[in-house]
């Protein structure tokens, strides 16, 4: 066989928008009683995903789940992690490391989606913090060696996510990770929310600038009294 014959028989490149069916996956949201977590839980459940919201206090999680409706369940963080196929981390940055460290066993083997933005605030507004590991996502990967860590859902407005009067969220979601198959699962989850699209944005080493951009969006929102998101053009 010549090299020309070999090239002719080469399989065509995979369509980057050919994403897996994720409708049967159970999604857990750690920090599901906070604004961002609750908003993501609401949108995914409304789109037909099975969702469990987690909190340190199970009763608080159950109260949030009842408020959200759409079949959402509530449980403590450990049970949420155990029962879920995909776990979204939406806890405050201050408790990020401690929470993940305490759930290392429950999160083993799980696809973890970190959407935490390490930010500080002073009289000049929001500014990005840089964790020792490089980013919140990289900290998660270091603390969860037996999990498959990705990063996504950083730039979404909690106000828009929770507003039942809004049918579509007009934005792209930057998705980062080390394993393409895991990234595609997260892209597909994002795409279940009307108006939203998941876009591959590199490996976890590039997560810092994605997390940091939220500080700029906060400035945009304050100046223009908006709930700004992102769109990636020409893809």
């Amino acid at each position: 066989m010549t090299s020309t014959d070999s090239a002719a028989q080469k399989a065509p490149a995979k369509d980057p928008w050919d994403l897996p069916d994720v409708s049967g996956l159970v999604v857990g949201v750690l920090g599901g009683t906070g604004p961002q977590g609750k908003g993501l839980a609401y949108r995914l459940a409304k789109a037909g995903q099975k969702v469990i919201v987690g909190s340190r206090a199970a009763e608080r999680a159950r109260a949030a789940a009842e408020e959200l409706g759409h079949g959402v369940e509530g449980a403590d963080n450990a049970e949420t992690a155990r029962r879920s196929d995909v776990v979204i981390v939406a806890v405050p940055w201050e408790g990020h490391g401690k929470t993940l460290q305490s759930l290392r066993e429950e999160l083993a083997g799980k696809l973890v989606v970190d959407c935490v933005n390490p930010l500080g605030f002073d009289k000049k507004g929001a500014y990005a913090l840089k964790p020792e590991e490089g980013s919140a996502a990289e900290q998660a990967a270091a603390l969860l060696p037996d999990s498959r860590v990705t990063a996504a859902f950083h730039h979404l407005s909690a106000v828009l996510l929770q507003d039942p009067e809004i049918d579509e969220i007009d934005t792209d979601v930057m998705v980062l990770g080390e394993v393409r198959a895991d990234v595609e699962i997260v892209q597909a989850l994002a795409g279940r929310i009307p108006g939203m699209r998941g876009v591959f944005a590199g490996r976890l080493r590039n997560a810092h600038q994605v997390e940091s951009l939220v500080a700029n969006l906060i400035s945009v929102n304050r100046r223009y009294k908006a709930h700004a998101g992102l769109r990636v053009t020409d893809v």
Side-chain angles (χ1 to χ4, degrees):
M1 179 182 292
T2 66
S3 59
T4 303
D5 293 333
S6 178
Q9 294 179 13
K10 201 172 182 181
K14 182 180 181 295
D15 181 351
W17 298 111
D18 180 14
L19 300 173
D21 178 9
V22 296
S23 59
L25 297 179
V26 178
V27 178
V29 184
L30 304 182
T33 59
Q36 190 81 354
K38 188 183 286 187
L40 279 169
Y42 171 68
R43 290 292 163 177
L44 287 169
K46 189 178 180 183
Q49 208 73 37
K50 175 59 187 173
V51 176
I52 306 171
V53 292
S55 175
R56 287 178 296 177
E59 61 272 17
R60 188 177 175 202
R62 285 192 286 267
E66 186 175 348
E67 180 185 341
L68 290 169
H70 298 285
V72 176
E73 293 184 45
D76 64 36
N77 283 332
E79 182 181 344
T80 298
R82 280 193 299 268
R83 292 178 55 197
S84 301
D85 302 302
V86 180
V87 180
I88 297 173
V89 181
V91 300
W93 166 241
E94 293 75 16
H96 181 262
K98 186 176 179 180
T99 298
L100 295 185
Q101 198 166 31
S102 71
L103 296 171
R104 180 179 295 184
E105 183 178 337
E106 290 83 358
L107 291 170
K110 307 290 184 176
L111 175 53
V112 174
V113 188
D114 201 296
C115 69
V116 174
N117 303 302
L119 297 177
F121 295 87
D122 60 19
K123 62 182 180 181
K124 294 182 180 180
Y127 60 94
L129 303 174
K130 187 154 189 182
E132 183 179 347
E133 297 84 356
S135 64
E138 288 170 294
Q139 183 184 87
L143 292 171
L144 303 172
D146 298 318
S147 303
R148 297 139 51 209
V149 176
T150 60
F153 300 117
H154 300 89
H155 307 135
L156 306 181
S157 163
V159 173
L160 298 184
L161 288 173
Q162 294 185 84
D163 190 341
E165 299 300 315
I166 294 175
D167 294 324
E168 296 189 1
I169 306 294
D170 182 23
T171 193
D172 284 334
V173 172
M174 309 287 273
V175 185
L176 304 96
E178 300 301 317
V179 179
R180 186 62 59 89
D182 292 338
V183 169
E184 289 180 348
I185 289 172
V186 182
Q187 287 181 264
L189 280 173
R192 297 211 72 200
I193 300 173
M196 200 175 288
R197 184 178 65 158
V199 179
F200 172 66
R203 294 179 178 267
L204 288 186
R205 68 181 183 180
N206 294 319
H208 172 66
Q209 55 264 39
V210 173
E211 296 170 1
S212 299
L213 189 58
V214 173
N216 302 90
L217 290 178
I218 289 172
S219 296
V220 170
N221 290 338
R222 287 180 174 174
R223 177 66 179 85
Y224 297 100
K225 295 179 173 54
H227 302 290
L230 296 179
R231 275 294 187 201
V232 181
T233 62
D234 200 34
V235 293

